[in-house]
Amino acid sequence: MTTPRPLVVDTDPGVDDALALVLALRSPELRVELVTTVAGNVPIGAVTDNARRLLALLAGEASPRLVRGAARPLSGRLATAAHVHGEDGLAGLSHLRDGRGAPLYPSAAGPRPGRDAAAAIVASAREHGEALTLVALGPLTNVARALDLDAAAMRGIGRVIVMGGAIAVPGNITAGAEFNFHVDPLAADRVLASGMRVTLVPLDVTRQVRLRWPAVRRALAGRRSLLARALRHVTRELAARREGLVLHDPLAMALAIDPALVASRALPVRVETAGAHARGMSIADRRGLPRGAVPAPTVDVALEVDAGQVLDLVSERVLTRGREARVAPARAADVVVVGSANTDYSVTGPALPRPGETVTDGTLHRGFGGKGANQAVAARRAGARVALAARLGDDEDGERYLAHLRAEGIDTAAVARDRRAASGVALIAVDTHGRNQIAVAPGANARLRPAHLPPAMRQVRAGGVVVAQLEVPLDTVEAAFRAARRAAARTLLNPAPYRPLPQTLVALTDVVVANEVEAAELAGQPVRNVTSARRAAAALVARGFATALVTLGARGVAWHHGTKGGHVRAPEVEAVDTTGAGDSFVGSLAAGLARGEGLVACIEAAVQAAARAVTRAGAQGAGLRRARRSPADSA
């Protein structure tokens, strides 16, 4: 079992909000620390009472803090949805009585609410940072007010999942507007433009997930507990309708448990804040970035959903008694690498061949390579728990490589075998100074697609690191990085071999590690020495990368982050083969970042790993294993 991720739920119960809250409280992957209420489906007093009722029903399973929030939107009057959810917001649940006439579900049985939800959300953001997930199920008034209090802390939250908006489908309150955004469009627009790591769950996907009354009746058959009775009552009317009960909010909560349930696209999205017909309408800009334009903040917009898996999750954890205790989350990985795996055939000779020249007297070495697998092995040897997403041929090379990865202790659940393509092969020439020339036949690597990623992406933990290079398709890299953002993990891109990068990928990249040639291409300026490398690193940060590192071989590494930069020297070693040096650097760096170590300390350790790697032949021959203290060391 993994350590549960801290969760804040901002909600306006609401029938589907109620199901989402039950799902959160019964999921071992999540630790609900704070529930805040906001006026929306019904006024603030009613939604807060409903939250108290629900928490009372589940008091034996969790007891998060409850804080009352905004009673009205940032501007304008409150619009409610009592016509959908009932006068009390829970289909009349508050009116049910026992045989003596006492309320079956008294709000007073739940926790006494505090006040100032925005301040409570900010406090959680400051405490947990990237580890925190915030799921917003109602109008975004509380979240917008929290941004006003401390925008930096809010932008530091690892994942913000927002149920709201309608991108390419009609609205559900007006022709163009979804209810939550219509209630407080100003708050919605501020949140989407804030630069927070938002996953937007619009009507485009929520309308695909519908709960039908026969399924509810079967799941709750024979159950007589207060919770089962409440679930029957609140779902009956909506689930019995022809269109079923649309699971808007449970889908948003499901993504806090398993981000791979949806496919998304990074888009700039704004919300219309005025107008008789357009108020609350969400508008996604799908035109692409014009040349020279400054990129606007983007959000990950869920556009496709595995509705069957979502319904299974809701059935198992919300409707079916006891099943939630048997559902274990996937094993977490510190580092998930998405990339290539090649068999390397290296010839070490007296010199590198020139065009048309044959160099003899070489020595052949067959080993394991490919930038993705190299980096995975390096991260594992640096002490991280590592999962690899890659594709091998259904051949002898693939069989040998798979056994090697497992022997290294790497999770290979997402290493697939391809019957239509051979395993990747790299032909490498190395001279006596350790310099190399490489020719690659990618084979199965070129067929690694986004659909192959979920077994690895489900293991991404908050605070972990997802690593990718460019020896696999670009859309696969983007999909992996979007999944990393949803999981509150860092992203590390090694843009090798160089190719032009779309701005969407740049925006998804937290750390870029480029050599001199790649940095010069990406920054649009020459890199000849340490000084020019530092300038190039600063230019890459200005382009949109959060942190930029330029590797300079024997001259070390130049780095830039925010307004600061520097240079880390490399130790002097006798180079035998530089083939795997950069990959050893990246893998070690990822392992250090996943442990939460400081940037400069991570770079220094990675430089040492790269220096060790060049002293032996082969891409994976000399990865630096992290030192482990022996009993003698502890004495």
Side-chain angles (χ1 to χ4, degrees):
M1 300 287 286
T2 61
T3 302
R5 297 189 296 277
L7 178 72
V8 171
V9 183
D10 188 60
T11 182
D12 61 336
V15 172
D16 56 324
D17 304 71
L19 300 182
L21 195 55
V22 175
L23 177 60
L25 291 165
R26 303 182 102 185
S27 290
E29 299 92 342
L30 306 175
R31 184 176 73 251
V32 184
E33 297 203 337
L34 174 66
V35 175
T36 56
T37 59
V38 61
N41 284 321
V42 287
I44 190 63
V47 296
T48 304
D49 283 348
N50 288 342
R52 296 182 72 184
R53 290 186 178 92
L54 294 165
L55 293 176
L57 279 172
L58 296 158
E61 301 179 42
S63 54
R65 191 160 60 105
L66 176 64
V67 180
R68 175 173 168 146
R72 60 186 59 85
L74 295 181
S75 66
R77 299 176 61 182
L78 175 68
T80 64
H83 61 288
V84 176
H85 298 271
E87 180 185 354
D88 68 346
L90 290 180
L93 189 73
S94 64
H95 304 314
L96 297 184
R97 298 288 190 270
D98 63 16
R100 295 172 297 178
L104 270 177
Y105 302 98
S107 63
R112 184 181 298 273
R115 291 189 177 268
D116 200 346
I121 292 171
V122 167
S124 290
R126 291 170 178 167
E127 179 182 357
H128 297 291
E130 286 194 354
L132 182 66
T133 298
L134 166 62
V135 179
L137 304 176
L140 291 170
T141 317
N142 290 336
V143 183
R145 288 183 171 177
L147 276 164
D148 290 340
L149 291 177
D150 192 339
M154 294 298 289
R155 283 194 287 267
I157 294 175
R159 297 180 65 199
V160 179
I161 302 172
V162 172
M163 191 278 120
I167 302 302
V169 298
N172 63 354
I173 190 69
T174 68
E178 177 273 334
F179 175 78
N180 287 338
F181 282 15
H182 180 76
V183 170
D184 198 340
L186 183 58
D189 190 57
R190 286 185 185 177
V191 169
L192 298 189
S194 68
M196 288 194 295
R197 300 172 186 174
V198 173
T199 296
L200 184 63
V201 186
L203 298 181
D204 305 57
V205 286
T206 64
R207 281 177 169 151
Q208 299 180 46
V209 187
R210 298 172 184 265
L211 185 64
R212 312 285 180 175
W213 176 243
V216 178
R217 187 175 55 214
R218 286 194 302 270
L220 296 174
R223 293 181 54 191
R224 301 180 181 224
S225 67
L226 281 174
L227 177 60
R229 184 170 175 178
L231 291 172
R232 280 194 198 92
H233 183 87
V234 300
T235 59
R236 184 189 303 270
E237 181 179 349
L238 292 175
R241 293 179 180 180
R242 185 176 61 180
E243 63 272 19
L245 170 56
V246 181
L247 297 183
H248 303 289
D249 296 332
L251 173 56
M253 191 61 68
L255 297 191
I257 299 165
D258 185 357
L261 290 170
V262 299
S264 62
R265 179 181 173 188
L267 292 168
V269 181
R270 300 302 299 265
V271 179
E272 181 57 57
T273 60
H277 302 291
R279 174 186 167 89
M281 185 175 183
S282 46
I283 303 169
D285 191 346
R286 287 170 280 184
R287 298 172 298 172
L289 189 67
R291 183 179 297 275
V294 177
T298 62
V299 299
D300 281 341
V301 181
L303 296 173
E304 298 177 19
V305 60
D306 189 330
Q309 285 198 37
V310 177
L311 287 169
D312 287 345
L313 188 68
V314 171
S315 177
E316 289 172 354
R317 300 192 182 187
V318 177
L319 301 177
T320 307
R321 178 177 55 189
R323 289 284 297 277
E324 67 280 357
R326 295 196 293 271
V327 181
R331 184 175 59 185
D334 301 315
V335 176
V336 173
V337 180
V338 176
S340 57
N342 296 322
T343 297
D344 289 349
Y345 292 88
S346 302
V347 175
T348 301
L352 297 177
R354 293 170 294 185
E357 180 184 21
T358 299
V359 176
T360 59
D361 298 326
T363 301
L364 175 67
H365 172 82
R366 183 177 67 180
F368 301 107
K371 298 190 73 62
N374 291 348
Q375 293 168 8
V377 169
R380 180 72 186 117
R381 292 177 179 178
R385 293 169 297 177
V386 180
L388 174 66
R391 202 156 181 84
L392 296 165
D394 191 15
D395 50 30
E396 183 180 350
D397 282 343
E399 189 68 27
R400 187 184 299 111
Y401 212 133
L402 196 58
H404 165 68
L405 292 169
R406 289 169 177 165
E408 285 285 346
I410 292 171
D411 189 291
T412 59
V415 179
R417 306 294 293 277
D418 194 321
R419 295 184 178 182
R420 297 174 58 187
S423 295
V425 171
L427 305 178
I428 306 170
V430 184
D431 69 10
T432 54
H433 300 288
R435 298 172 298 189
N436 61 62
Q437 294 174 339
I438 305 174
V440 177
N445 293 305
R447 292 168 52 80
L448 181 66
R449 307 301 301 147
H452 302 142
L453 299 179
M457 292 299 106
R458 290 192 182 103
Q459 299 186 49
V460 179
R461 67 167 178 81
V465 179
V466 174
V467 181
Q469 329 73 35
L470 303 183
E471 290 185 338
V472 296
L474 272 177
D475 61 343
T476 302
V477 174
E478 285 201 39
F481 278 16
R482 286 195 298 271
R485 284 291 171 86
R486 293 193 295 269
R490 289 189 187 181
T491 55
L492 192 162
L493 178 66
N494 177 211
Y498 173 76
R499 70 176 87 170
L501 299 182
Q503 189 61 33
T504 51
L505 182 54
V506 172
L508 288 167
T509 302
D510 293 317
V511 181
V512 63
V513 179
N515 66 18
E516 297 160 83
V517 174
E518 296 149 4
E521 292 284 354
L522 287 170
Q525 55 186 263
V527 177
R528 300 189 180 93
N529 50 38
V530 172
T531 301
S532 59
R534 291 187 62 175
R535 284 198 297 264
L540 292 177
V541 170
R543 179 178 172 184
F545 296 105
T547 303
L549 279 61
V550 179
T551 58
L552 302 167
R555 291 173 293 175
V557 177
W559 63 272
H560 199 90
H561 174 77
T563 59
K564 298 180 180 180
H567 172 243
V568 174
R569 296 179 180 273
E572 292 186 10
V573 296
E574 184 175 348
V576 173
D577 182 356
T578 61
T579 303
D583 296 332
S584 293
F585 178 91
V586 169
S588 177
L589 179 72
L593 293 173
R595 287 192 294 270
E597 297 171 1
L599 177 63
V600 175
C602 290
I603 296 173
E604 291 172 345
V607 166
Q608 293 291 330
R612 176 71 173 270
V614 303
T615 62
R616 296 183 187 176
Q620 297 176 21
L624 178 63
R625 297 183 187 272
R626 191 179 186 210
R628 291 176 170 81
R629 294 171 63 87
S630 67
D633 293 329
S634 303

